[in-house]
Each structure stands twice: as C-alpha cells, then as structure tokens.
Amino acid sequence: NAGVTQTPKFRVLKTGQSMTLLCAQDMNHEYMYWYRQDPGMGLRLIHYSVGEGTTAKGEVPDGYNVSRLKKQNFLLGLESAAPSQTSVYFCASSYSKVGPYEQYFGPGTRLTVT
Amino acid sequence: AQSVAQPEDQVNVAEGNPLTVKCTYSVSGNPYLFWYVQYPNRGLQFLLKYITGDNLVKGSYGFEAEFNKSQTSFHLKKPSALVSDSALYFCAVRDRDTGFQKLVFGTGTRLLVSP
C-alpha cells in the first residue's frame, strides 16, 4: 500500500496563475481532506469530502476549489494564486468522518506564490 | 467550539531522559484525542489516540499519553528519549458526542533531543 500520495511535491507559481494539486489514496477510505500548514498556526482544514461526488467547505475555503470525481482521488485547485496561499498543503483520508478514526496524511506539497 | 492548546513551542531534553509534551483541550462533549508526529519534510504520522476507558494510552515508538478529564489534558510522554524522536508533535481533538466535527489541531511543539 502506498497510503496517501500527493503530486507535485514542490511548486512555484506567479500571482494569478492556476494549478491543481492531486491527492490519491489506496485504502478505500470514504473521507478525504485538504489542509494547509503555516508556521505557528497548526493545520487548518480547507475542504473535505465525505464520498465520491461530494465536497464541503472547511475552515479556510476561500480561493480554493475541490473535486472528488473518483473515490480514490481528491483534487485541490487554485484558480488565481495569491502570495497568501504560500503554504504547505497536506491531503488526508480516513475510514469515517465520525468516531475515533485517525486520519492518514500524505507527504505534502510545498507551494510558493511570488 | 473545539480547541487545543500546546503551551510550549519547543521542548528540549537530553537523550535517555523522560520527555513530556503538553496538550490541553476544550470540547463541549466528550473528546477523541490524538497525537501525531511530523518529521522534517514529511506528512503527519499517527502516534496514538484516546477513545474511552483506560486513561493511559500506549502508542507507537514507545510513546504513551495520559488522559486527565478533570484537567482537560492529554500529555504525551516517553520514559527515555531518543535523538531520533526529535520532530514536531501535534495534539488534535474531536468532539465525539456531536456528530461530525472537524479534527482540530494544536499549533505543534517541536521536540529537540540532544545527544
């Protein structure tokens, strides 16, 4: 099992450019999440998905869009990148959204917007 | 609203000494509590979790955590630290009584174990 994988690992964008981050999991998990990690702020939830074809907003959704066309994939899009979106992005998945199920994290994507 | 506090930005300990990384939480109901570890340039790895029952939870790599309901704490401990334990540690909480609630993370504590 590869677990949770993310592509790309690093990316540099200019302000206004767009990009898509891809997350894939091979654990047959229903629930998937996108977080951003910024120094001194822990992890903040951007969007999440409770199943194929469904998505919902998290804590900091502005400027991001997501899609879950296949159960194993969860895409995070930036339509017009801003310097404030410079961060490390983590994807995670879990068996269930409720209950004591831990989340499994990918290795992260380091994004710099200049 | 849920919240987690990790009062120490960094904890320094000598190899072989016991370590404690502190975490306090706030939820309206009863908590599920988690500890994760992040090594440099890596994603978060699950260490252990508290569900219910025994207040002392044992996890991976010799770590354990003690749940204290009266003090709303869930401190991470290890009897003998290793240099390889140096990493960033996150505490997280979810309210188990109110349906779906997001997993709320603390801001992290950097553990530095010196040889």
Side-chain angles (χ1 to χ4, degrees):
Chain A
N1 282 350
V4 180
T5 58
Q6 293 181 234
T7 53
K9 288 185 169 52
F10 303 94
R11 186 71 185 268
V12 178
L13 288 179
K14 294 187 188 313
T15 296
Q17 288 184 321
S18 63
M19 77 164 294
T20 300
L21 283 67
L22 172 63
C23 174
Q25 53 94 4
D26 62 1
M27 296 174 283
N28 202 33
H29 285 167
E30 288 291 335
Y31 306 97
M32 298 186 74
Y33 316 82
W34 276 107
Y35 293 91
R36 59 178 289 172
Q37 183 182 31
D38 302 291
M41 302 190 74
L43 276 78
R44 293 182 291 170
L45 183 64
I46 304 172
H47 286 280
Y48 63 96
S49 169
V50 301
E52 185 178 319
T54 68
T55 63
K57 294 180 179 179
E59 185 182 0
V60 288
D62 294 342
Y64 305 96
N65 57 76
V66 288
S67 65
R68 183 102 180 265
L69 299 180
K70 293 183 179 181
K71 184 178 184 179
Q72 63 268 34
N73 295 337
F74 194 29
L75 280 63
L76 178 70
L78 286 72
E79 291 186 346
S80 180
S84 60
Q85 293 177 305
T86 293
S87 187
V88 181
Y89 292 85
F90 289 101
C91 177
S93 70
S94 67
Y95 174 73
S96 173
K97 63 181 179 181
V98 296
Y101 299 103
E102 61 270 23
Q103 294 180 12
Y104 294 82
F105 284 81
T109 295
R110 186 173 295 275
L111 174 66
T112 301
V113 183
T114 61
Chain B
Q2 306 167 120
S3 66
V4 173
Q6 293 182 245
E8 301 154 316
D9 290 334
Q10 182 162 314
V11 170
N12 298 303
V13 65
E15 188 173 34
N17 283 357
L19 69 88
T20 298
V21 182
K22 295 179 181 178
C23 171
T24 58
Y25 67 90
S26 174
V27 295
S28 57
N30 292 297
Y32 292 127
L33 291 156
F34 304 81
W35 274 103
Y36 286 84
V37 60
Q38 184 180 30
Y39 298 101
N41 301 313
R42 301 286 295 275
L44 277 69
Q45 296 179 29
F46 168 75
L47 274 181
L48 51 81
K49 64 185 175 185
Y50 171 78
I51 303 173
T52 188
D54 195 345
N55 289 341
L56 186 64
V57 179
K58 295 189 183 297
S60 305
Y61 312 122
F63 283 94
E64 57 190 28
E66 186 168 10
F67 172 66
N68 187 317
K69 187 171 183 177
S70 63
Q71 297 186 2
T72 61
S73 66
F74 190 55
H75 300 331
L76 181 70
K77 301 181 180 185
K78 188 174 183 181
S80 179
L82 299 172
V83 172
S84 58
D85 292 330
S86 298
L88 189 57
Y89 290 81
F90 289 95
C91 182
V93 67
R94 180 191 297 127
D95 189 328
R96 68 176 182 180
D97 295 333
T98 57
F100 173 65
Q101 293 285 342
K102 64 180 180 179
L103 190 60
V104 174
F105 288 86
T107 54
T109 297
R110 188 165 301 281
L111 174 66
L112 184 60
V113 182
S114 54

